[in-house]
Amino acid sequence: MSGRLQRGAGFGKYLLLLVFLGLFVGWYMWKQNYGAIGQVARLSGTTKDQIAFLRTEAGGACNLYLIGADGAGLKQLTSDDHAKRLPAWSPDGTRLAYVQEARSGGSSTYQLFILGDGAPRQASYGTISKDMPQWKPDGKLIAFLAGGAIKVVSPNAAKMRQIYPPPHRGDEHEHEGDGDAAADTASGLRRPPITYYRWSPTGSALVGVQVLEGENATALGVQSWWSSPKLSDADEAPQGVVEPESIVVLPHLDAEPFALPGAERVMFAWFPDGRQVLAMIATRQGRCALIRCRTDEKNLPIEPVVSAEAHTIAFEAPALSPDGRAVAVELWRSETGGDRTLQGIGVIPVDAAAPLRIRTLRDADRLKIVIKGDARTPQWSRDGSRLLFSRVRPDGRADICVADKDGRNERNLTNGKGDNYDATWSPSDQ
């Protein structure tokens, strides 16, 4: 009898071990394939010269649309009415990634969705909202922001990992529910959150704008602001002032990051060579400049393109032409007291022999405004012949417009229907 009991107990332990191993293997496979959706079918037909954008109707329904740059062929791509933002094309122009409000358990977050032919596929889950999806130029990864960190996922959502800041828990994969994904538990310090980023157009390099706080902030002072003689001591910030925003460069995904000059506010656009960016930097005192910065190596010289003194002109939303020889920007007249008035979209050459210095409003008149009025967020067509932009109507809603690069032949694509935004030109050339 005792022998049978011992054999039974041994078999029970063996069975329990098998169950445990089965559960572990099941959990591991689920973890490795968390959010897996499989291959997303590509959009049928060509998307050459097509523009994707979001429209919110008067009742609040938000959906993704596609329209030709000539205003023809308007097509609604989604019909779920959930809030959405920031559609991004795959490099071949056959799929779109975007973030959409997703509800679960009485709460809602923004999650990553991928759309091709057919219904959109949800590619991420969890308690942390996702934002700003961007495809890697080879189409093998989609980057996005989550909790101030940059993460990447494969287009079939099978693998997800954090790439900046480097993870500090010995695990590259996403930990939903960890709270602040940018927290450094090893040092107890808060990692600088990323608010904006873009892939290099030619490779795996990434450049982002990070907000520097507390002990992570850098003291840059005025240094070479910006290669122009100062007007008076009253216009200068004291040396050692903390600049809250800076550009961080990752030459490739496993490289040591480094920072470029900081300012009160920073924006940037990649040059087509993938080795330098054009940065917009603005100070607390109201100065603003566009500068060329190398990204393939740190501590290289920085070249000013144009600098403007306070209470003259300010630049926003820089967009470089496909040949890298001109930048389209929003031009804002900067008034005393901090008020600003949008003048329109200007086009500024970036390969001039000498940097342009704007000391007065009379100097600002030398800048060429090609699209006047409340026109914003310029983008160049693939061939550099046209500009895509949004024009704000008197009711505060916006239309999507296209014009020649000199401002001629402006065409309103949405004609006052709904509030239209986040337009993006397909990269397809066939």
Side-chain angles (χ1 to χ4, degrees):
M1 175 69 73
S2 61
R4 286 197 299 271
L5 288 175
Q6 288 178 351
R7 286 194 298 273
F11 178 77
K13 291 179 181 179
Y14 178 73
L15 182 62
L16 183 62
L17 178 61
L18 287 177
V19 170
F20 174 78
L21 288 174
L23 290 173
F24 177 79
V25 170
W27 173 86
Y28 180 80
M29 292 180 66
W30 171 85
K31 183 66 177 177
Q32 292 299 103
N33 294 279
Y34 179 68
I37 60 175
Q39 188 65 35
V40 176
R42 289 165 168 77
L43 289 167
S44 57
T46 179
T47 61
K48 180 179 180 181
D49 228 20
Q50 297 284 299
I51 295 164
F53 66 96
L54 294 174
R55 171 180 290 173
T56 298
E57 305 288 356
C62 177
N63 280 294
L64 183 61
Y65 287 79
L66 195 64
I67 194 170
D70 59 359
L74 178 66
K75 181 180 180 181
Q76 185 173 336
L77 298 179
T78 65
S79 57
D80 51 65
D81 298 347
H82 294 300
K84 302 172 183 65
R85 57 182 182 231
L86 299 170
W89 287 99
S90 62
D92 60 2
T94 64
R95 289 166 291 175
L96 285 156
Y98 60 96
V99 292
Q100 175 179 302
E101 186 180 24
R103 297 182 180 91
S104 176
S107 62
S108 64
T109 57
Y110 277 87
Q111 298 298 330
L112 179 67
F113 283 73
I114 303 176
L115 173 65
D117 217 13
R121 311 284 291 276
Q122 185 170 343
S124 72
Y125 297 84
T127 59
I128 302 175
S129 281
K130 315 303 187 290
D131 205 0
M132 207 172 293
Q134 287 289 309
W135 294 73
K136 190 179 177 185
D138 62 8
K140 294 181 179 179
L141 292 173
I142 303 171
F144 59 91
L145 293 181
I150 302 175
K151 300 189 178 186
V152 293
V153 65
S154 56
N156 66 354
K159 294 182 180 180
M160 187 178 294
R161 67 186 179 103
Q162 182 171 312
I163 58 173
Y164 185 85
H168 294 276
R169 292 182 173 89
D171 188 348
E172 292 182 329
H173 300 285
E174 173 157 339
H175 289 271
E176 295 291 2
D178 282 345
D180 185 359
D184 184 345
T185 56
S187 66
L189 298 178
R190 179 180 170 83
R191 281 278 182 168
I194 298 294
T195 58
Y196 180 84
Y197 74 99
R198 284 293 183 269
W199 291 100
S200 159
T202 60
S204 61
L206 272 168
V207 167
V209 175
Q210 60 185 358
V211 179
L212 303 166
E213 299 177 325
E215 295 182 51
N216 291 293
T218 55
L220 296 179
V222 296
Q223 288 191 347
S224 51
W225 231 122
W226 192 260
S227 301
S228 62
K230 68 178 183 179
L231 296 183
S232 68
D233 291 338
D235 291 325
E236 300 291 357
Q239 291 288 343
V241 68
V242 170
E243 303 289 8
E245 293 190 1
S246 183
I247 292 178
V248 62
V249 179
L250 279 73
H252 56 82
L253 296 190
D254 298 316
E256 184 70 22
F258 62 88
L260 296 173
E264 173 71 12
R265 192 151 182 268
V266 176
M267 303 178 78
F268 72 88
W270 277 100
F271 278 86
D273 64 6
R275 300 175 58 190
Q276 54 185 333
V277 295
L278 182 76
M280 184 287 297
I281 55 177
T283 70
R284 289 178 175 85
Q285 291 70 38
R287 282 182 156 185
C288 192
L290 297 173
I291 57 176
R292 296 175 74 132
C293 307
R294 290 280 295 274
T295 61
D296 50 347
E297 190 177 338
K298 61 182 177 180
N299 300 324
L300 292 176
I302 294 173
E303 301 175 11
V305 173
V306 56
S307 61
E309 293 297 335
H311 316 312
T312 57
I313 204 79
F315 316 108
E316 297 282 344
L320 275 160
S321 61
D323 61 7
R325 301 184 65 182
V327 59
V329 290
E330 297 173 8
L331 293 175
W332 292 78
R333 178 169 174 150
S334 178
E335 309 286 353
T336 304
D339 293 336
R340 302 194 309 167
T341 304
L342 180 58
Q343 304 297 292
I345 293 173
V347 174
I348 302 171
V350 298
D351 56 356
L356 178 63
R357 293 176 180 172
I358 299 172
R359 297 181 174 87
T360 66
L361 282 172
R362 186 181 297 272
D363 292 336
D365 291 339
R366 295 155 57 190
L367 297 173
K368 184 180 181 181
I369 301 177
V370 296
I371 300 169
K372 296 182 179 180
D374 202 336
R376 309 187 185 207
T377 58
Q379 293 180 49
W380 294 85
S381 62
R382 187 173 176 84
D383 63 3
S385 66
R386 291 164 293 168
L387 288 169
L388 168 68
F389 58 97
S390 62
R391 186 176 285 285
V392 180
R393 306 193 298 264
D395 64 1
R397 298 184 177 187
D399 281 314
I400 305 302
C401 300
V402 170
D404 295 344
K405 65 179 180 181
D406 59 4
R408 298 178 182 178
N409 300 317
E410 181 175 333
R411 181 188 296 273
N412 190 321
L413 305 183
T414 49
N415 296 312
K417 297 179 181 178
D419 187 16
N420 306 278
Y421 53 95
D422 287 350
T424 177
W425 219 311
S426 171
S428 177
D429 58 1
Q430 56 184 357

